Amino acid sequence: MSSLNDKKRENKIKELLKTTNALRLSYESITHSKKQKKIRLFRSNELKILTEEEFEFLKRTDSFKRRLRDGETINDIMPEALALCREATKRRLGMFHYDVQIEAAIAMHDNTIIEMKTGEGKTLVQILSAYLSALEATSSLDPNEHKQVHIITANDYLAERDYEDNKKVFELLGLSCGYAMSQGQTKGNPKLLDKKREAYKSDIIFATAPTIAFDYLEDNHALNADKRFMKKPLFKAIVDEADDILLDQATRPLILSKRVQENEKHKYNDLEIYDWAVRFINGEKGYRRKPITVKVFNQYEKNKHDSYTEDCAIYLDNQFVDMQNITQEIYGDNPDLTDPNVAEELFFKSQAVIQCLLAEYYFKEGKQYQIFEDKTAEDDEYTYMKIMLTDASTGRSLEQTKYQNGIHEAIEATVSYKLEQKNKKDKTKYKLRFSNKNKPVAKVTYPDFLSIYENGVSGMTGTADKDEFMEVYQLDTYFVPTRKPNIRKDEPDELYATEKDKFNAILREVLECQRTMQPVLIGTTNVEESDRLCKVLYQYGIRFQRLDAVNKDNEKGIKETAGLLGTVTIATNMAGRGIDIKLGPGVEEVGGLYVIGSSKNKNQRIDNQLKGRASRQGEPGKTKYFMSLDDELVRLRYGKKGLENLKKQYEGITGQITDKLTLKLVNDCQSNDESRVKEQRKHTEELEAKVYTKHKKIIYDQRVKILTSSDKELIEIINKMIVSYTNSLFEQKSSYDQILSKLGHLIKIEECYDEKE
């Protein structure tokens, strides 16, 4: 039945495409001569001076909106609207939509995720999709009833680039377009914040997912209506790299925090208690006689440890830290827990120790976070450093993100202690710039936030997970064929016993490419791995450029040169999304771009994203993944003992491992981790949908209503709230004291007594 529905939908899309193509000549005839009369037009109480061409496109857009008001559906006008938008794109950007791009836009409009291979022009597809949605969102004659369409892109660079290019098309079509700057760009700048609020008045907004989500949270904590960003109702979200936002980042909460006031601070100051915990763990004099030794093991090893119980271990993303006897280490064998001061101190200290152990044993520089020089700090004596988290799926810095529940503070305390020891040893002058202590006030996940769009969500990706999109989000997936056959050659994976052997194999491949001048893009899973690989290439005198969270200042320049003859580029996963590497002269003749993966990622979609950098639109190219038994995925799956047993079979062997069983065991590590993450994602989304989303929407809707109400309406709202609340109290037959404590500060209450006969 499903295949029949798919075929029916495909036939419908092909028919709409055919009709759209038939209209091409009629829209090409719209005047675009250099000599055009100027037309004065009053629109939204504003005088506009348009060229004949601009007036003709605007007139047709207005005609589509009128037809929607008169009862036609978007499907009725879709071929004409697509043909008009296609012509506007050709005139303003010099690019004409291919049939596969029109096909993708038609499929997307029905709240569908489209899968288009890299280089097939998803950016042009979003123009068509946004135009169709904006026609529906702004069809009302009353501008106050207009709604908003959001184009959500992978990062700030792409959001701003697409806005600057595509606004020319939307403006020709009579629609306003804006770019919402990120929180990092507007921080502490009132003028930029006002500019951002002005941008949000537009019909179509370009922004990143974190920007939109945080602005939504900020809006729902604004103290007056003027401070809100999104004053228009949200109609449709068009998500680029949909698998990253809806799947890979689905379980990561975005948490809005506010600065803790002095009167809110606890007597156990965060900085002090985490500093104490780090020194306690390291056995510093005056804190403990010797450092704490802990057992760290992964989720597959936990059942092998007789001492493991849920009460004595910490669990966090595959890792456990055995925590037995930490309490006794702090207060001895028999702490007096009847003393509230002792109990409180024990609680805060033990929690700080737990978080600092995790900061030491699980969170690693180069993987989950990076340490940067804080160039804003002015100090002649010290060089200040700061911590910034890293997105595992893209390799990009998360400037506005912090770990919660004390983890971030624990990482800072741990790093600060190490810098202190480095200063003593090397007589250097480094200090850590601690982040401000903030208190979480609201949170949202992407699935939770995207559920509020009136007309739902559609998206684009190069690597869709059809089953999961349907199971978790009830979103269908449509595969768009490539315009030209894909001639990329995907070589079989190669497996080695150690990372050293693997890097030597990669080195041999790079040296061969240097001989033929074939450009190479090497994708690593994290900055730490990039560091080690760079050292190997450097030792052999190979010139390379590096793109990651640390070396991102010349991101645009690196992308523009990565496809030139003889270039070697090492990049974290940030090179795998939204990046088109164009081949330079002569590169096709030497085989196109060669993409090498230095390790498998935690899911196959990220691997496929990296592969997708090669062979755009029928170009030649080649890919190969290298693996070793030292890789993180293998270590997490088998643990220390299991890995030792596996490696014993290949002791002394430096060449490629070709045993099919071992290859299968290593490849299974990825699928096992994917299954675990899918279950976690499904559970989180179900919990959000059942518990948080509906409740939050009710509260936020009430808040907006109060902010935007007149004084008279506000009094009515308050009266209804008081009546509802008091009725509920009396229905519960609350005592006089209970009612007085809850309402005494609002209204006068007198105690009534039954008269005795």
Side-chain angles (χ1 to χ4, degrees), residues 278-292:
V278 170
R279 296 177 190 281
F280 175 81
I281 291 168
N282 285 281
E284 192 168 303
K285 187 177 180 181
Y287 294 85
R288 195 171 180 272
R289 288 194 298 274
K290 58 181 180 179
I292 288 181

Side-chain angles (χ1 to χ4, degrees), residues 5-17:
N5 289 335
D6 288 345
K7 189 66 179 175
K8 186 177 179 182
R9 180 175 63 168
E10 186 178 340
N11 290 338
K12 177 186 173 184
I13 290 171
K14 298 292 185 186
E15 189 62 35
L16 287 168
L17 171 63

Side-chain angles (χ1 to χ4, degrees), residues 88 103 169 187 191 196 222 231 233 244 411 426 440 500 516 562:
E103 182 180 340
V169 179
K187 189 176 181 181
K191 289 185 178 179
K196 183 175 180 177
K231 297 177 183 178
D244 179 40
I411 292 173
D426 301 336
K500 180 181 178 182
T516 63

Side-chain angles (χ1 to χ4, degrees), residues 259-533:
R259 186 76 59 86
V260 174
Q261 302 299 320
E262 285 297 324
N263 58 1
E264 294 181 26
K265 289 185 178 178
H266 195 273
K267 66 179 180 180
Y268 294 105
N269 182 279
D270 279 334
L271 294 179
E272 293 176 1
I273 199 165
Y274 287 107
D275 179 69
W276 171 87
V278 170
R279 296 177 190 281
F280 175 81
I281 291 168
N282 285 281
E284 192 168 303
K285 187 177 180 181
Y287 294 85
R288 195 171 180 272
R289 288 194 298 274
K290 58 181 180 179
I292 288 181
T293 55
V294 299
K295 297 176 184 176
V296 180
F297 48 99
N298 66 42
Q299 63 168 333
Y300 303 102
E301 294 178 302
K302 68 177 183 179
N303 295 326
K304 302 174 187 176
H305 289 256
D306 295 334
S307 63
Y308 172 79
T309 67
E310 291 290 346
D311 295 331
C312 71
I314 312 164
Y315 170 74
L316 185 68
D317 193 14
N318 271 335
Q319 303 251 356
F320 293 83
V321 178
D322 191 344
M323 279 294 299
Q324 272 185 321
N325 302 321
I326 293 299
T327 299
Q328 288 88 337
E329 290 282 357
I330 297 174
Y331 263 106
D333 292 332
N334 299 300
D336 182 11
L337 297 181
T338 60
D339 184 337
N341 292 324
V342 171
E344 185 182 38
E345 184 177 0
L346 179 60
F347 172 78
F348 282 105
K349 283 190 171 182
S350 60
Q351 287 299 306
V353 169
I354 289 171
Q355 308 301 47
C356 288
L357 285 170
L358 286 171
E360 175 66 31
Y361 286 92
Y362 174 71
F363 294 92
K364 301 293 184 183
E365 181 185 356
K367 290 183 180 179
Q368 289 89 357
Y369 67 89
Q370 289 296 323
I371 303 175
F372 295 93
E373 182 180 343
D374 186 356
K375 296 179 180 179
T376 63
E378 297 181 3
D379 194 315
D380 294 333
E381 184 178 359
Y382 286 97
T383 298
Y384 275 87
M385 313 300 288
K386 64 179 179 180
I387 287 174
M388 202 171 291
L389 304 189
T390 304
D391 184 342
S393 64
T394 65
R396 296 182 181 277
S397 298
L398 302 171
E399 297 184 21
Q400 299 300 309
T401 306
K402 283 181 60 177
Y403 288 121
Q404 298 299 309
N405 302 321
I407 291 291
H408 201 94
E409 290 81 359
I411 292 173
E412 290 184 328
T414 302
V415 170
S416 179
Y417 182 81
K418 289 178 179 177
L419 288 177
E420 182 183 308
Q421 303 311 306
K422 180 179 176 68
N423 289 346
K424 290 179 182 178
K425 182 179 178 181
D426 301 336
K427 296 183 179 179
T428 52
K429 291 285 187 179
Y430 289 108
K431 269 193 176 182
L432 186 73
R433 172 77 69 180
F434 287 87
S435 58
N436 294 322
K437 175 57 182 172
N438 293 327
K439 176 183 177 182
V441 294
K443 77 166 187 172
V444 70
T445 61
Y446 289 131
D448 179 23
F449 167 66
L450 292 170
S451 70
I452 69 175
Y453 284 85
E454 179 184 318
N455 204 37
V457 177
S458 60
M460 305 170 285
T461 179
T463 50
D465 188 324
K466 183 174 182 177
D467 293 337
E468 194 167 9
F469 277 130
M470 176 53 69
E471 184 178 1
V472 179
Y473 300 103
Q474 290 74 55
L475 288 173
D476 210 343
T477 304
Y478 185 84
F479 176 75
V480 182
T482 55
R483 189 173 65 89
K484 293 181 180 179
N486 187 341
I487 60 172
R488 186 182 74 214
K489 186 176 181 182
D490 294 327
E491 300 279 1
D493 300 337
E494 290 189 12
L495 175 65
Y496 294 85
T498 67
E499 184 181 75
K500 180 181 178 182
D501 298 332
K502 177 181 72 172
F503 281 176
N504 285 336
I506 293 174
L507 175 65
R508 290 192 292 271
E509 295 286 309
V510 173
L511 288 171
E512 176 60 23
C513 290
Q514 291 280 280
R515 186 183 67 80
T516 63
M517 297 296 287
Q518 184 176 17
V520 181
L521 171 66
I522 306 175
T524 64
T525 57
N526 55 65
V527 174
E528 190 180 46
E529 187 178 38
S530 289
D531 287 339
R532 297 195 297 272
L533 184 57

Side-chain angles (χ1 to χ4, degrees), residues 190-201:
K191 289 185 178 179
L192 289 181
L193 284 171
D194 288 340
K195 184 178 179 181
K196 183 175 180 177
R197 290 188 184 94
E198 193 64 28
Y200 267 117
K201 295 178 181 178

